[in-house]
Amino acid sequence: MGADGEEASRIIVPMAVEGTPQQLAFVEESKLKKRKENVDWAVRNRERKAAKRQRIRDEHKVIVKRPEDFVTAFRNKERDFLRMRTRLKVRKQPPVEALSSKLVFAIRIPGSVDLHPHIRKVLRKLRLTKVLTGVFLKATELTLKRLLVVEPFVTYGFPNLKNVKELIYKKGRGFLDKEPFPLTSNDLIEKALGEHGIICLEDVVHEIATVGPHFREASKFLMPFKLKCPERRLQMKRKPYTDGGDSGNRGDKINELIEKLN
């Protein structure tokens, strides 16, 4: 069959409705498929938003608490806040120039639910509001200070190029028009970051790994990475990793943890 025959086979010719003098317009099969894909995507999007609204309603349900629970929660918050102030006074931050890498990967570890408002605010700025999520950060004095503030609730270190690639390729998701999407289309990446010279997934990896001039835009474009629970569940111990705990700076050892969680 020739090219004309193949083209004709891809076209659906609708039958004329009884009682109408004219035949209906031709509709290509590709257009029908595209319409069906758009309808399916709209249905999935509505279901996802409905599930998100229901989850938010469930999280904000009123739970009756005893007075002792409020007292305990208040004391824990104040204790965390006082320890945070002590850390900022006693611990001295190393200069940024002395660090082995400018790229930091921070992970929110399991811990207390009732946090002091100041600590919760810093975690929100770091985009580490959910347990077992991770983000790429640029090593600056402000970033290191924020990590020190929330040290009992996060662990961080300097990832290598291999883990940067695997994280973005396996678990990377981006934002476009406030909607998340998997990093499977370079067209969407170009639409979101094209003005910064980032047009494909390899450009995103390069910008993050080298902490390029548009690192902030690339890191904000990436959603926090959802990591899996390790075999030995992380315990939020009140001491840093160097003293046998799970929190704080791991240095290059963060790569071993990333491989377990990715």
Side-chain angles (χ1 to χ4, degrees):
M1 186 180 294
D4 296 338
E6 292 180 359
E7 184 66 24
S9 63
R10 297 194 188 99
I11 299 177
I12 298 176
V13 182
M15 300 298 293
V17 182
E18 294 182 1
T20 58
Q22 297 180 352
Q23 192 178 27
L24 297 178
F26 294 153
V27 181
E28 295 183 6
E29 184 178 3
S30 59
K31 292 183 178 179
L32 292 177
K33 288 182 178 180
K34 184 63 177 177
R35 291 176 188 173
K36 187 176 184 303
E37 290 176 359
N38 291 339
V39 172
D40 294 341
W41 180 87
V43 171
R44 291 195 302 270
N45 194 35
R46 285 198 300 269
E47 292 176 351
R48 181 179 59 81
K49 290 184 177 180
K52 182 178 180 180
R53 288 194 296 268
Q54 184 62 38
R55 185 172 65 252
I56 293 175
R57 285 195 293 267
D58 294 340
E59 291 176 354
H60 289 80
K61 283 184 178 179
V62 178
I63 301 175
V64 179
K65 290 185 177 181
R66 297 179 301 173
E68 294 84 355
D69 296 333
F70 288 100
V71 174
T72 302
F74 176 78
R75 288 178 176 173
N76 290 338
K77 293 178 183 178
E78 290 300 312
R79 180 192 60 190
D80 292 337
F81 183 70
L82 291 176
R83 289 181 175 178
M84 179 267 293
R85 294 180 62 182
T86 302
R87 282 196 305 274
L88 293 177
K89 290 181 179 179
V90 176
R91 301 267 292 275
K92 293 183 178 180
Q93 289 288 353
V96 179
E97 295 78 10
L99 297 178
S100 60
S101 173
K102 293 183 179 180
L103 179 63
V104 176
F105 187 73
I107 302 173
R108 175 81 156 89
I109 63 176
S112 177
V113 178
D114 294 325
L115 301 175
H116 190 276
H118 180 70
I119 296 177
R120 190 181 299 276
K121 180 180 179 180
V122 175
L123 285 171
R124 192 180 302 114
K125 289 181 178 180
L126 294 173
R127 301 194 301 158
L128 293 173
T129 56
K130 295 183 179 181
V131 172
L132 288 180
T133 57
V135 294
F136 289 111
L137 303 169
K138 183 178 181 180
T140 62
E141 292 184 2
L142 178 59
T143 300
L144 295 178
K145 182 179 179 181
R146 287 176 175 175
L147 290 173
L148 185 59
V149 168
V150 298
E151 186 179 79
F153 310 98
V154 299
T155 184
Y156 58 94
F158 310 113
N160 55 31
L161 178 59
K162 173 178 174 290
N163 283 321
V164 172
K165 283 184 177 181
E166 291 185 353
L167 276 170
I168 295 177
Y169 278 107
K170 291 177 64 175
K171 297 186 179 295
R173 291 175 64 84
F175 273 118
L176 180 61
D177 297 331
K178 298 183 179 180
E179 290 292 334
F181 68 93
L183 302 181
T184 56
S185 173
N186 288 332
D187 293 336
L188 295 177
I189 296 175
E190 183 178 4
K191 186 176 180 181
L193 298 173
E195 60 181 337
H196 305 297
I198 302 173
I199 60 175
C200 62
L201 189 57
E202 289 75 13
D203 290 344
V204 176
V205 173
H206 179 268
E207 193 70 19
I208 294 294
T210 60
V211 192
H214 301 291
F215 174 85
R216 180 176 181 180
E217 291 80 6
S219 61
K220 289 291 181 66
F221 163 74
L222 294 172
M223 293 180 61
F225 297 90
K226 294 182 179 180
L227 307 173
K228 66 181 182 181
C229 184
E231 296 179 359
R232 184 187 73 84
R233 186 172 180 83
L234 292 173
Q235 301 296 324
M236 207 284 293
K237 298 179 181 179
R238 295 291 178 178
K239 53 184 178 180
Y241 173 76
T242 53
D243 296 335
D246 284 320
S247 64
N249 186 5
R250 293 175 179 245
D252 295 334
K253 297 291 185 181
I254 193 69
N255 292 292
E256 299 176 4
L257 181 61
I258 293 175
E259 292 174 359
K260 294 178 181 179
L261 303 182
N262 192 4

